[in-house]
């Protein structure tokens, strides 16, 4: 069996970032994850839980993650309206944090550790946070706008693919939406072919692998994707195994399980990437990244809904058959700010 030796190196925290990702050296080799000190694993999960709880409160706060007037991202938004760059970044951040919160809830609140589902959730976090990093990372405005438009193009294409079979989307409707992206791209010299080509998650995660100062998500994303798709290489290569003989001497039944130590490695990569995204956004969201009081994680936490941001004229805020939601309400007697 191939040895997997994930190593999370010590990384410096970016200026202005309030998220401090826990550091750990993790070694998982086949069925030998019991070599990891359980107290170290438990301590790191406590740190992750506290970070995720804080971030769930933040993404549930409508006043958080607003592009600051005069920031580069504010200028991006003005140039890309009604498909604002910050809206795409915020949606990716909301989705990534929500996936991590589900991992926290399964493991630490419900005490349920399924073999595959947590890795599928971590995959969702890695994909969305990678997309946020990919959009924010370029130095030049046109590059950030191009990537945000490609993100929106993928949304339109995926929506059309899902809704066309039930008669809720047409080719003309999809083309009209893509044409709106063209109108933003053409005056800035952005290739409409590139925009309409959208993007692939594999390319985005590989980009983060190359450019992120904190996270190396590619390996984690690949084997988490293997779990999500039921690929034997992932199940048999990373799960704990117990073998049982069958009546056929050439066939074994294999019981597959996981443990918190095995799940810790990809989750740490997602948390480091979350830290990187917040660091990249520090200049754009200065109010959102101000110092905040920290508190220990409440494992019975019932978070406020996540708050995304869309423009009414963008045509993406309501799909056929959808309904308008009421404004986000305060819950648990607080406003979502720790």
């Amino acid at each position: 069996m191939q040895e997997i030796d994930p190593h999370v190196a010590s990384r410096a925290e970016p200026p202005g970032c309030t998220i401090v990702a826990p550091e750990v050296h993790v070694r998982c080799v086949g069925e030998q994850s019991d070599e990891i000190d359980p107290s170290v694993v438990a301590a790191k999960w406590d740190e992750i839980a506290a970070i995720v709880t804080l971030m769930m409160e933040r993404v549930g706060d409508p006043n958080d993650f607003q592009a600051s007037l005069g920031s580069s991202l504010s200028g991006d938004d003005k140039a890309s309206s009604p498909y604002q760059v910050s809206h795409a970044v915020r949606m990716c951040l909301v989705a990534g944090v929500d996936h991590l919160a589900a991992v926290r809830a399964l493991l630490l609140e419900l005490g349920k550790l399924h073999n595959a589902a947590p890795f599928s959730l971590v995959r969702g976090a890695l994909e969305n946070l990678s997309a946020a990093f990919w959009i924010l990372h370029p130095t030049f405005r046109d590059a950030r706008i191009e990537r945000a438009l490609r993100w929106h193009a993928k949304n339109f294409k995926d929506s059309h693919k899902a809704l066309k079979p039930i008669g809720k989307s047409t080719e003309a409707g999809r083309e009209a939406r893509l044409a709106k992206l063209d109108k933003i791209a053409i005056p800035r010299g952005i290739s409409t072919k590139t925009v309409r080509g959208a993007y692939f998650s594999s390319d985005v995660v590989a980009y983060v692998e190359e450019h992120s100062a904190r996270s190396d998500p590619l390996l984690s994303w690949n084997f988490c994707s293997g779990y999500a798709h039921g690929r034997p290489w992932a199940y048999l290569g990373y799960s704990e195994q117990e073998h049982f003989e069958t009546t056929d001497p050439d066939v074994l039944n294999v019981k597959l399980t996981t443990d918190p130590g095995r799940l810790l490695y990809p989750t740490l990569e997602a948390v480091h990437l979350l830290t990187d995204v917040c660091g990249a956004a520090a200049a754009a969201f200065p109010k959102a990244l101000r110092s905040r009081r920290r508190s220990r994680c409440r494992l019975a936490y019932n978070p406020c809904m996540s708050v995304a941001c869309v423009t009414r004229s963008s045509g993406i805020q309501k799909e056929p058959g959808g309904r308008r939601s009421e404004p986000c309400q305060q819950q648990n007697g607080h406003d979502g700010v720790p």
Side-chain angles (χ1 to χ4, degrees):
M1 182 177 298
Q2 183 178 2
E3 184 180 46
I4 300 176
D5 185 12
H7 175 79
V8 183
S10 178
R11 304 171 175 99
E13 184 181 6
C17 182
T18 61
I19 304 299
V20 182
E23 308 290 348
V24 67
H25 298 276
V26 180
R27 186 178 183 86
C28 297
V29 184
E31 294 81 13
Q32 300 173 16
S33 64
D34 58 342
E35 293 180 358
I36 306 172
D37 185 343
S39 65
V40 173
V41 172
K44 294 306 171 185
W45 274 112
D46 284 344
E47 293 180 44
I48 290 172
I51 290 171
V52 173
T53 297
L54 171 65
M55 289 303 299
M56 276 302 294
E57 292 175 345
R58 293 188 59 188
V59 299
D61 180 359
N63 298 315
D64 210 333
F65 293 107
Q66 301 284 345
S68 178
L69 185 65
S71 68
S72 294
L73 195 54
S74 176
D76 294 351
D77 286 353
K78 184 177 181 180
S80 59
S81 180
Y83 302 102
Q84 283 90 332
V85 175
S86 72
H87 295 184
V89 171
R90 187 171 176 178
M91 186 72 253
C92 292
L93 186 61
V94 165
V97 171
D98 193 69
H99 280 77
L100 288 175
V103 175
R104 178 204 63 184
L106 278 174
L107 178 62
L108 301 178
E109 295 178 23
L110 299 179
K112 300 289 186 181
L113 188 53
H114 297 274
N115 188 47
F119 294 97
S120 299
L121 290 167
V122 174
R123 177 203 185 205
L126 288 168
E127 281 194 16
N128 281 287
L129 295 172
S130 291
F133 180 93
W134 174 72
I135 294 170
L136 282 172
H137 185 257
T139 303
F140 298 104
R141 171 162 295 151
D142 284 351
R144 295 192 297 270
I145 291 175
E146 176 198 293
R147 292 179 180 186
L149 295 179
R150 290 168 66 184
W151 183 88
H152 283 290
K154 184 169 180 62
N155 175 59
F156 292 151
K157 289 186 172 185
D158 290 350
S159 171
H160 175 69
K161 183 177 180 180
L163 297 175
K164 182 180 178 181
I166 60 173
K168 297 295 184 179
S169 183
T170 64
E171 294 289 347
R174 182 188 67 165
E175 177 57 32
R177 291 183 174 90
L178 292 173
K180 289 183 179 181
L181 302 181
D182 292 345
K183 289 182 179 180
I184 297 169
I186 291 172
R188 307 194 68 85
I190 297 172
S191 167
T192 58
K193 181 179 180 181
T194 299
V195 169
R196 286 172 173 251
Y199 71 93
F200 293 98
S201 293
S202 55
D203 294 335
V204 167
V205 177
Y207 180 92
V208 176
E209 178 84 7
E210 181 179 355
H211 295 283
S212 171
R214 291 171 168 255
S215 181
D216 301 306
L218 190 57
L219 174 61
S220 293
W221 178 78
N222 273 316
F223 75 72
C224 286
S225 296
Y227 273 106
H229 294 293
R231 302 292 187 249
W233 75 265
Y235 278 74
L236 297 176
Y238 201 65
S239 299
E240 184 172 356
Q241 300 181 26
E242 186 176 356
H243 297 169
F244 300 92
E245 299 290 340
T246 69
T247 55
D248 186 337
D250 293 327
V251 177
L252 286 173
N253 284 331
V254 183
K255 179 181 178 180
L256 301 170
T257 57
T258 193
D259 57 64
R262 295 171 196 271
L263 182 59
L264 182 61
Y265 164 53
T267 308
L268 275 171
E269 291 295 354
V271 173
H272 286 306
L273 181 51
L274 174 61
T275 310
D276 228 6
V277 170
C278 288
F285 299 127
K287 291 183 180 179
L289 290 166
R290 65 185 182 275
S291 296
R292 294 183 171 206
R293 175 177 59 82
R294 295 198 180 184
S295 60
R296 291 190 61 80
C297 174
R298 295 169 292 163
L299 296 183
Y301 176 67
N302 180 24
C304 180
M305 68 185 78
S306 300
V307 181
C309 195
V310 297
T311 303
R312 294 181 188 277
S313 59
S314 66
I316 65 172
Q317 73 271 23
K318 185 179 179 182
E319 293 292 355
R323 62 181 179 85
R324 188 180 300 278
S325 298
E326 294 300 319
C328 179
Q329 300 295 317
Q330 295 182 6
Q331 296 185 10
N332 300 332
H334 61 79
D335 61 1
V337 180

